[in-house]
Amino acid sequence: MTAPAQTLTDTQTQALLLKLTVLADDEIILAHRDGEWTGHAPILEEDIALANIAQDELGHAGLYLSLAQTLGGSDPDQVAFWRGPDDYRNTRLVELPKGDWAFTMVRQFLYDTAEALWLEAATRSTYAPLAEIAAKAVREEKFHVQHTALWVERLALGTPESERRTQAALTELWPHAAQLFQPVEGEAELTAAGILPDLNAVHARWTDLVTRHLVDKCGLTLPDAPATQPGRDTHTHHLAPLLEEMQSVARQHPDAEVW
Amino acid sequence: MEEHAPSTVNLQPSTIWAALASVPDPEIPVVSITDMGMVRDVTVGDAGRVTVTFTPTFSGCPALHVIKGSIEQAVRDLGVTDVEVRSTLTPPWTTDWIGDDARERLRQYGIAPPAPTGEGQLIQLDAEPTRCPRCGSLNVRMTASFGPTLCKRMYVCDACREPFEGFKSV
């Protein structure tokens, strides 16, 4: 099993708290976008599949935020339901509106592969509580990757219309995907200590994996990624209305205990 | 309920395990939480405090609160007043912990039991072979990789034409 929980310095704790927030924020926002397909997916089975995936992503967010809470962070419900767009640290990739089915599947594929590879690397973290979370979550993520990889393939190699939409989705989403591999402040020190995976190594593995699938197998074309990315504190105008809807019940009933 | 029972009631862990064996999985009531391998440890402390450690099947399982509450209640029903239910992620839950007897009950209930997990690759596009729980044929098709609960997929048997659910191998 993993090494016993090591003691973190104050600087390491602060950086890890930020990283856990970043990880959870992506999961929460993507889960909300996936949940928007409930009742709207092309077929009932996909309606259910995306609800399942959203549930898993929220489960992972719960794991990250519970660990953050034990490290001195705040209550997970407070973090999810009482922060506004200025405080959320999700990528723009996950906050963009759900688009058509191809857009949703391409986004999910790009995200799932990144998450799965990061989690796999994080199972080797020297910080046992994180390694345990990763070992749990990576088993669930495997099913997401299988599902969305197949959908992207089916759409890309389907009809001219489905191919056109899949390529358009990839062209729009690809520049945003690189943001998943932006380190947080202080991340380098955590990586050096073996607490967090080497993000550059995960990025390289991800690029190789998605290129093989999207280009070699599905015949899609990758656009150029921008040389620089805005930070995770810069959002599109799509995040505020998403949060308003997601947080509306909590904010209307702040004292509710039974949901 | 036996409210008058003393908190120092001297229970053996085996008695508590037996009580937990009658707590059904809230989503699949033909199997219990111990059949599923969710209960990892039971200890009885010096002062009669009972600690039960359980592991969640899926991190986003909506039944987790129900399961935790059911465990606590089952132990209280034995007359224990001091109960602590802890959850652990290590080792992560695997369908390999589901016992043979429970697998047979799942099959009779119409759910194909999970295949052994083995050391699968991260990206494995082919799902594990699955047998129709009704006629036993391997001539089945997966129709959806996500089912009504996080732990199941949907299949159709091409031999007997029945749709059925299959447990994911996790």
Side-chain angles (χ1 to χ4, degrees):
Chain A
M1 212 38 243
T2 46
Q6 63 189 93
T7 314
L8 303 175
T9 65
D10 285 349
T11 324
Q12 287 175 335
T13 303
Q14 288 314 309
L16 187 54
L17 276 171
L18 181 57
K19 183 71 181 182
L20 292 168
T21 310
V22 154
L23 291 164
D25 285 357
D26 272 343
E27 304 272 33
I28 292 167
I29 301 303
L30 186 59
H32 187 86
R33 287 295 184 219
D34 288 341
E36 288 177 341
W37 281 101
T38 304
H40 299 276
I43 50 173
L44 176 64
E45 285 79 359
E46 287 312 313
D47 206 300
I48 293 167
L50 271 179
N52 270 247
I53 289 171
Q55 226 174 308
D56 279 335
E57 307 296 24
L58 284 180
H60 303 168
L63 295 175
Y64 292 135
L65 293 180
S66 299
L67 175 55
Q69 190 177 20
T70 64
L71 283 170
S74 55
D75 172 60
D77 285 340
Q78 288 288 329
V79 176
F81 294 112
W82 296 92
R83 282 181 310 152
D86 292 342
D87 294 324
Y88 257 84
R89 290 291 176 268
N90 59 280
T91 55
R92 290 185 313 288
L93 177 78
V94 296
E95 75 193 28
L96 296 173
K98 76 182 197 303
D100 61 15
W101 188 248
F103 187 90
T104 290
M105 286 296 109
V106 170
R107 166 162 63 190
Q108 194 69 36
F109 173 74
L110 295 173
Y111 182 83
D112 289 340
T113 44
E115 189 188 355
L117 290 170
W118 189 87
L119 285 171
E120 193 192 47
T123 60
R124 295 183 290 276
S125 170
T126 54
Y127 185 59
L130 180 63
E132 291 172 8
I133 286 172
K136 180 73 184 168
V138 75
R139 287 159 174 257
E140 302 171 353
E141 203 55 31
K142 179 182 80 175
F143 294 104
H144 303 188
V145 176
Q146 287 179 2
H147 189 68
T148 49
L150 276 176
W151 258 113
V152 170
E153 185 182 340
R154 191 177 293 153
L155 291 167
L157 303 177
T159 66
E161 177 66 6
S162 71
E163 185 196 350
R164 184 187 67 76
R165 288 177 182 240
T166 310
Q167 180 62 57
L170 182 59
T171 304
E172 184 177 348
L173 288 163
W174 183 254
H176 296 296
Q179 209 189 0
L180 291 169
F181 303 98
Q182 265 180 351
V184 301
E185 198 185 330
E187 180 154 349
E189 189 194 329
L190 293 179
T191 301
I195 295 165
L196 288 180
D198 177 352
L199 212 49
N200 290 327
V202 176
H203 194 176
R205 284 191 69 197
W206 175 83
T207 305
D208 178 53
L209 187 150
V210 300
T211 304
R212 273 189 284 126
H213 189 68
L214 297 172
V215 179
D216 302 348
K217 195 163 192 177
C218 301
L220 298 166
T221 306
L222 297 180
D224 291 333
T228 55
Q229 288 275 350
R232 278 175 173 262
D233 50 356
T234 309
H235 294 288
T236 66
H237 65 277
H238 302 296
L239 181 61
L242 180 154
L243 289 177
E244 195 179 328
E245 179 181 296
M246 188 184 93
Q247 299 174 334
S248 61
V249 176
R251 286 174 185 258
Q252 276 171 39
H253 304 280
D255 300 325
E257 288 181 358
V258 179
W259 295 78
Chain B
M1 211 192 302
E2 305 281 328
E3 291 296 344
H4 59 274
S7 62
T8 51
V9 56
N10 192 18
L11 283 172
Q12 295 300 313
S14 58
T15 311
I16 297 159
W17 276 100
L20 296 175
S22 65
V23 176
D25 180 304
E27 290 180 334
I28 312 168
V30 288
V31 288
S32 74
I33 58 170
T34 56
D35 286 334
M36 294 286 285
M38 276 185 245
V39 181
R40 304 311 302 161
D41 192 35
V42 173
T43 56
V44 182
D46 290 340
R49 157 173 272 217
V50 171
T51 306
V52 179
T53 307
F54 87 107
T55 189
T57 53
F58 281 75
S59 64
C61 178
L64 284 180
H65 293 290
V66 176
I67 293 168
K68 205 171 175 182
S70 304
I71 290 173
E72 189 177 330
Q73 192 56 52
V75 179
R76 286 195 190 283
D77 287 349
L78 294 170
V80 180
T81 51
D82 192 2
V83 187
E84 187 193 0
V85 183
R86 290 184 191 161
S87 68
T88 180
L89 294 175
T90 306
W93 182 78
T94 165
T95 44
D96 290 344
W97 292 344
I98 302 176
D100 289 341
D101 177 56
R103 284 167 189 267
E104 176 56 18
R105 265 178 282 136
L106 283 173
R107 194 193 60 74
Q108 287 176 10
Y109 191 60
I111 302 172
T117 50
E119 288 302 311
Q121 292 175 309
L122 182 64
I123 297 197
Q124 203 177 336
L125 297 184
D126 298 318
E128 58 281 358
T130 297
R131 212 176 262 287
C132 172
R134 184 182 160 95
C135 75
S137 173
L138 281 168
N139 185 16
V140 304
R141 269 181 300 130
M142 189 169 73
T143 52
S145 50
F146 293 90
T149 63
L150 290 174
C151 53
K152 287 176 282 182
R153 302 181 193 259
M154 304 301 295
Y155 294 83
V156 166
C157 175
D158 281 335
C160 73
R161 307 279 172 197
E162 281 290 316
F164 66 92
E165 296 174 344
F167 221 103
K168 279 176 185 162
S169 183
V170 180

